Amino acid sequence: MKKTVLLLLTLTSFVTFSQELIKTLPLKLAKRTDVFQVVEENKKQISLFFNDKFSVRTLRFNDRLELIDSLSAERPSTDYDDIIGYSTSDNNYYTYWSSSNNKEIASQCFNFTTKQVSLKKFTLEFVKEKPIKRITVNNVFYLITILKNTSILNFYVFKNGQMEKKTIDLTDKTFINWENKKINLWDMVNEFSQFQPALAIQNMLDETPPSLTFSANKRKAYVNGNSLIFTFDCNRNFTQFLNFNLDDFTVTQKSYAQPYIEATEFISEDSNSFLMNNKIVQMKLNQDVMHLIIKDLDDNEIKTYDVLADQEIAIKNSEIIQENGKISNTRILDKSNQLLRKIYNLNPSISCYTFNDKIYLTLGSVSLVQDNNAALYGGMIGGFTGALIGAAISSNYSVNNLNSYAKRKVVYINCLFDSNFNHIDGAMKKLAFDELRGFADQKNYLVSQTVFRFNSGLYFGGYDKENSTYSFYKFKD
């Protein structure tokens, strides 16, 4: 009976949302219109880019989401698949379109001073190299490639309408694979699994709390100031770091040992990590035990916690929750051994988010997509195939993060800590992103969605085809 009541309370919480309708605009969009946003907190404005088969339209709003101005233009030719990123400079907004082979980049500049839109094309002379990352950092767009069978990276830097190439040679660095063998960087990023395709590094941005789907990837990319950090959990015994300084393109490498679990003949271990606020959270587990360790980036241990199959979980602030394909299809699990077994058998993951000097940490795992298109969907989320959506496009990060649990089994607990990772007892306040997830599940008729953090709130936008209106809803932590 207690379990039934808890489940009903959980499901009820998903259909009661504390959102505010901020603005509804009359807007006519084509049948298939993609959206991405550029948030400028310093200017107290946001720009939305709507692109369809024939055109691109840019709308700029103030902090009350009142329309300031707009620009429209034809989209580049069909030789270019989709927008892969953006950069900004003063009143110029650049969108970057890529050809299917990534060798042709078209830069479309929207100048809100002159009210003109211009197009510039760049040809990249790839020589035995493949793209592994597209990301915008501090309003500069980076396309990063790796030379085949080497540890040499090329950074194509797009800024102020110009492109510059920087080469970083990591030949003197050592990389270790799952089998404890020394390999080059190409072999590290070219490894693939059913969960993460080859040549894919998952963006982990702080726009919204990262989903367990994103953080379950073994290769991740974080932004810290003007540094880009790659983390690799391709070896179960330690996390490998590459920290790129984007001011001078120097790089430092570090490794952080995972907690120790004694290996047995019949049970192997798995591991993963999460980087947050200059701290690394690492997990290592088998089906009987999970060790959690938090360190600073000088490798000093801050806290350790254990989760054991035969004991109550001391650090959890929620029930053990299992979602089956969507947030409204949820059940509550009873025992610690259920959580450990399911995390171990799926794809282990950690996600952290800070708010009001508290750390919201989620421990869990996610399955592969549970339908016949699993392989295709997985490739779209983690790699550079299909319509170039997902982690490859930093500007679409939050929408893909919002939708990343679709058709997956997800098992997790929520935990609350202070800023020094001391556990805080008691019930957790639901975050704005959790409210948004439930709301979006109910409003699935809204298309051409956007999600962004702006002006101390989390916003969700969507297009109502029947009424030809675009609405913005605000959620607050």
Side-chain angles (χ1 to χ4, degrees):
M1 181 65 183
K2 180 180 178 182
K3 180 178 177 181
T4 303
V5 171
L6 287 171
L7 180 57
L8 289 173
L9 287 173
T10 302
L11 294 177
T12 300
S13 70
F14 292 146
V15 296
T16 305
F17 312 110
S18 56
Q19 86 286 345
E20 178 185 0
L21 176 61
I22 299 297
K23 185 75 66 175
T24 296
L25 305 170
L27 189 64
K28 184 68 175 178
L29 297 181
K31 185 176 181 180
R32 183 185 179 276
T33 300
D34 296 321
V35 188
F36 79 92
Q37 70 284 339
V38 177
V39 176
E40 298 174 286
E41 288 282 5
N42 59 326
K43 295 182 180 180
K44 294 297 181 185
Q45 66 184 30
I46 179 167
S47 302
L48 295 185
F49 290 75
F50 298 88
N51 70 88
D52 58 41
K53 187 176 180 180
F54 302 103
S55 64
V56 182
R57 182 174 7 173
T58 308
L59 306 180
R60 288 206 303 179
F61 302 89
N62 63 19
D63 57 355
R64 296 181 298 278
L65 289 180
E66 297 168 337
L67 186 63
I68 302 172
D69 51 16
S70 65
L71 281 174
S72 297
E74 290 185 1
R75 61 154 284 169
S77 73
T78 54
D79 293 337
Y80 300 94
D81 292 333
D82 211 338
I83 295 174
I84 61 168
Y86 72 91
S87 66
T88 65
S89 176
D90 297 324
N91 229 12
N92 295 309
Y93 296 76
Y94 300 89
T95 59
Y96 299 101
W97 300 72
S98 175
S99 62
S100 59
N101 63 7
N102 305 290
K103 295 183 179 182
E104 300 287 338
I105 303 293
S107 170
Q108 193 168 34
C109 176
F110 294 78
N111 186 317
F112 279 95
T113 300
T114 64
K115 305 297 182 183
Q116 299 295 314
V117 180
S118 59
L119 188 69
K120 185 175 182 179
K121 298 180 180 180
F122 300 92
T123 299
L124 309 184
E125 298 293 340
F126 285 175
V127 179
K128 296 182 179 180
E129 58 189 295
K130 292 288 185 179
I132 59 171
K133 176 68 11 214
R134 301 177 177 93
I135 193 168
T136 296
V137 180
N138 294 330
N139 297 318
V140 178
F141 176 64
Y142 298 87
L143 169 60
I144 305 170
T145 67
I146 185 168
L147 270 63
K148 291 182 179 180
N149 303 313
T150 74
S151 295
I152 298 174
L153 297 175
N154 286 322
F155 282 64
Y156 295 89
V157 185
F158 295 84
K159 182 179 180 181
N160 298 325
Q162 304 298 319
M163 185 196 76
E164 184 179 11
K165 179 181 175 181
K166 297 286 188 178
T167 299
I168 298 178
D169 190 343
L170 302 174
T171 303
D172 62 335
K173 308 297 183 187
T174 298
F175 304 95
I176 307 296
N177 68 4
W178 183 259
E179 299 174 334
N180 290 317
K181 295 179 180 179
K182 292 184 179 181
I183 56 175
N184 58 32
L185 184 58
W186 168 267
D187 290 335
M188 179 81 82
V189 299
N190 198 41
E191 289 181 346
F192 69 94
S193 67
Q194 286 183 296
F195 195 87
Q196 186 169 27
L199 303 177
I201 302 175
Q202 173 65 54
N203 284 347
M204 303 297 293
L205 308 179
D206 59 4
E207 298 173 8
T208 50
S211 71
L212 290 174
T213 304
F214 281 10
S215 55
N217 286 280
K218 300 292 191 180
R219 299 185 298 270
K220 296 188 275 284
Y222 301 83
V223 176
N224 183 9
N226 209 35
S227 292
L228 178 63
I229 301 172
F230 289 170
T231 67
F232 304 97
D233 284 285
C234 306
N235 184 292
R236 73 194 77 183
N237 295 318
F238 49 87
T239 304
Q240 301 170 75
F241 266 46
L242 287 174
N243 190 333
F244 301 93
N245 184 321
L246 298 178
D247 290 321
D248 57 14
F249 291 91
T250 57
V251 60
T252 56
Q253 183 185 42
K254 286 188 176 182
S255 294
Y256 300 89
Q258 282 279 359
Y260 175 74
I261 294 179
E262 186 174 355
T264 70
E265 184 178 355
F266 304 105
I267 303 177
S268 62
E269 317 94 56
D270 204 349
S271 63
N272 214 325
S273 70
F274 191 93
L275 179 64
M276 184 197 68
N277 295 344
N278 293 314
K279 295 181 178 67
I280 179 173
V281 184
Q282 295 174 290
M283 68 175 339
K284 191 171 185 181
L285 78 156
N286 59 30
Q287 60 189 9
D288 297 318
V289 60
M290 175 194 295
H291 295 314
L292 199 68
I293 187 168
I294 300 97
K295 303 174 182 176
D296 63 25
L297 296 190
D298 291 323
D299 208 18
N300 298 308
E301 183 180 309
I302 297 172
K303 289 288 180 182
T304 61
Y305 295 100
D306 294 332
V307 177
L308 304 176
D310 58 353
Q311 295 182 17
E312 182 69 18
I313 303 170
I315 60 171
K316 71 181 177 71
N317 295 80
S318 72
E319 300 297 328
I320 303 172
I321 302 167
Q322 177 174 304
E323 295 181 20
N324 298 296
K326 56 195 304 186
I327 195 171
S328 56
N329 186 2
T330 304
R331 61 177 289 216
I332 304 299
L333 305 180
D334 292 324
K335 299 178 180 179
S336 302
N337 63 359
Q338 291 177 289
L339 176 70
L340 279 177
R341 186 175 66 251
K342 288 177 181 290
I343 292 179
Y344 177 74
N345 289 330
L346 297 176
N347 296 280
S349 185
I350 315 166
S351 175
C352 292
Y353 178 74
T354 58
F355 176 69
N356 278 352
D357 295 323
K358 292 184 175 64
I359 297 168
Y360 293 76
L361 184 146
T362 302
L363 287 174
S365 63
V366 296
S367 72
L368 300 175
V369 173
Q370 298 177 319
D371 68 5
N372 292 332
N373 295 317
L376 173 62
Y377 187 88
M380 293 167 68
I381 287 295
F384 299 99
T385 61
L388 296 175
I389 70 169
I393 310 174
S394 60
S395 53
N396 282 346
Y397 173 88
S398 289
V399 169
N400 291 296
N401 188 37
L402 175 68
N403 297 324
S404 65
Y405 288 158
K407 298 183 180 180
R408 296 180 189 268
K409 179 184 291 185
V410 188
V411 181
Y412 59 92
I413 56 171
N414 294 314
C415 310
L416 186 63
F417 302 88
D418 66 18
S419 57
N420 294 315
F421 275 93
N422 298 301
H423 181 246
I424 300 173
D425 291 324
M428 288 174 58
K429 179 183 181 296
K430 185 176 288 190
L431 292 173
F433 189 69
D434 298 320
E435 296 276 1
L436 193 159
R437 283 191 63 216
F439 179 78
D441 187 51
Q442 297 288 318
K443 297 282 187 178
N444 56 14
Y445 61 88
L446 295 177
V447 297
S448 300
Q449 297 176 357
T450 184
V451 177
F452 54 90
R453 189 167 292 281
F454 179 56
N455 198 27
S456 302
L458 185 64
Y459 290 81
F460 171 80
Y463 179 62
D464 186 334
K465 293 182 290 185
E466 184 175 342
N467 296 306
S468 296
T469 56
Y470 201 89
S471 296
F472 296 96
Y473 299 86
K474 184 178 181 179
F475 299 77
K476 295 194 74 173
D477 283 318

